[in-house]
Amino acid sequence: MSGMADHSAPDLATALRTRGLRMTAQREQVLDAVRRLGHATPEQISDAVTGVDVTTVYRNLELLEELGLVRHTHLGHGAPAYRPADDDHVHLVCHACGNVIDAPPDLVDALAGRLADDRGFVLDRSHFTVFGRCRDCVAAEQTADSGR
Amino acid sequence: MSGMADHSAPDLATALRTRGLRMTAQREQVLDAVRRLGHATPEQISDAVTGVDVTTVYRNLELLEELGLVRHTHLGHGAPAYRPADDDHVHLVCHACGNVIDAPPDLVDALAGRLADDRGFVLDRSHFTVFGRCRDCVAAEQTADSGR
DNA sequence: CTAACTGCAAAAATTTTGCATGCAC
DNA sequence: GTGCATGCAAAATTTTTGCAGTTAG
């Protein structure tokens, strides 16, 4: 069957070849895992792939980011979250329940415009994360408060 | 002289006493360091204080945050940046030069309003950081590009 | 006095580095 | 065959945990 070929890694092979680098099963697996998980820490990605050393996961995440195929954000704590580069949205992280909510990228357009106009600062959407409390957790807190 | 008393730690003593905790020189030093540095990682704070063990720095940063005297943000990488709770502004981090620019908190008001209206999500300003490129670095990049 | 706090040592967790073998091209 | 990549071991970080001595209240 030749039909099942490169379905999950469209331009990986090309990107690698352009730089004289090699296509390996590990690289394909890491990229697949990032795409499948949406956003994940190196450790989570390492758990999601089989037979790939953690070291290789780190090295390939770095490489894939250089190739422009994945991006990373900080969703809290220490571990960076890697995500597919073409997955264009921003993140809302709830401090209370820990949930990560995806939001449309145009949410930051106004802010980006203001920063650009006022300060010449070019906002990086792909790295954009907002912390706060989600509706459910706010509601839960208010219920608790009123009970005091 | 009694006039030089608690000039740098206004409500630390009170906050501690309320909880039955103790005022120590180390706690005062850690809080002072956070206020003096503006925003700093545990390691930087540890370097800034004298005769305080790193372990104690970590423990006290956690405590001071519980007491509401300091806050932390993520300015990139892994290490959290601790800052005075009353120092109310948001951060712009340049990926190119690494500079951290302080910006007025009202910068996020529009975004906060929209998130609240649309999703009931309450944004935490004190934890707010924007990544991108500062004016100087954008200019430098464009000069480089045009030279190609 | 009493128990909270600290410092030191050690453990845990996370990321990086070196090097010999393996494999893509 | 050539040299880029991987895996494994070891080192370097960064943060946490345990415990006995110290000290604020």
Side-chain angles (χ1 to χ4, degrees):
Chain A
M1 318 173 172
S2 62
M4 67 153 287
D6 47 331
H7 140 255
S8 50
D11 42 6
L12 173 58
T14 314
L16 288 171
R17 206 161 314 149
T18 304
R19 295 217 187 183
L21 301 177
R22 293 171 185 175
M23 174 62 132
T24 67
Q26 288 89 334
R27 283 174 180 168
E28 217 167 349
Q29 277 197 67
V30 170
L31 180 53
D32 277 354
V34 172
R35 289 181 169 156
R36 184 151 29 86
L37 297 173
H39 48 77
T41 63
E43 204 184 354
Q44 293 173 315
I45 293 165
S46 188
D47 288 344
V49 296
T50 46
V52 182
D53 196 81
V54 203
T55 307
T56 302
V57 170
Y58 277 100
R59 285 192 281 227
N60 282 337
L61 284 173
E62 194 182 344
L63 173 66
L64 291 171
E65 188 154 35
E66 275 172 32
L67 295 178
L69 297 176
V70 310
R71 289 267 158 69
H72 81 268
T73 321
H74 300 287
L75 262 32
H77 311 99
Y82 285 86
R83 40 191 232 75
D86 50 25
D87 182 6
D88 192 20
H89 60 248
V90 302
H91 297 98
L92 313 181
V93 179
C94 177
H95 270 137
C97 65
N99 254 131
V100 178
I101 304 165
D102 293 339
D106 67 287
L107 196 65
V108 299
D109 283 353
L111 175 61
R114 193 168 156 201
L115 285 174
D117 293 347
D118 294 358
R119 308 167 167 262
F121 187 95
V122 179
L123 184 152
D124 175 9
R125 274 178 169 190
S126 76
H127 210 289
F128 192 85
T129 301
V130 173
F131 297 89
R133 329 228 145 219
C134 67
R135 188 197 303 277
D136 293 350
C137 289
V138 171
E141 278 163 24
Q142 283 174 351
T143 303
D145 281 354
S146 68
R148 281 200 303 222
Chain B
M1 334 166 157
S2 61
M4 67 152 288
D6 46 331
H7 140 255
S8 50
D11 41 7
L12 173 57
T14 315
L16 288 171
R17 206 160 315 150
T18 304
R19 295 215 187 184
L21 302 176
R22 293 173 185 175
M23 173 62 132
T24 67
Q26 289 90 333
R27 284 177 179 165
E28 217 168 350
Q29 277 197 68
V30 170
L31 180 54
D32 276 354
V34 171
R35 290 181 168 154
R36 185 152 26 89
L37 297 174
H39 48 75
T41 63
E43 205 185 352
Q44 293 173 317
I45 293 165
S46 187
D47 289 346
V49 296
T50 47
V52 182
D53 195 81
V54 203
T55 307
T56 301
V57 171
Y58 277 99
R59 287 191 281 226
N60 283 336
L61 284 174
E62 194 181 343
L63 172 66
L64 291 172
E65 189 154 35
E66 275 172 33
L67 295 179
L69 297 175
V70 309
R71 290 267 157 69
H72 80 268
T73 322
H74 300 287
L75 262 32
H77 311 98
Y82 285 85
R83 40 192 233 73
D86 49 25
D87 182 7
D88 191 19
H89 60 249
V90 301
H91 296 97
L92 312 180
V93 179
C94 177
H95 270 139
C97 66
N99 253 131
V100 178
I101 305 165
D102 292 340
D106 67 288
L107 196 65
V108 301
D109 284 353
L111 175 61
R114 194 168 154 200
L115 284 174
D117 292 347
D118 295 358
R119 307 168 167 263
F121 187 95
V122 179
L123 184 152
D124 175 8
R125 275 177 169 192
S126 76
H127 211 289
F128 192 83
T129 301
V130 173
F131 297 89
R133 330 226 145 221
C134 68
R135 189 197 303 275
D136 293 348
C137 289
V138 170
E141 278 163 25
Q142 283 173 350
T143 304
D145 283 354
S146 67
R148 282 200 303 223

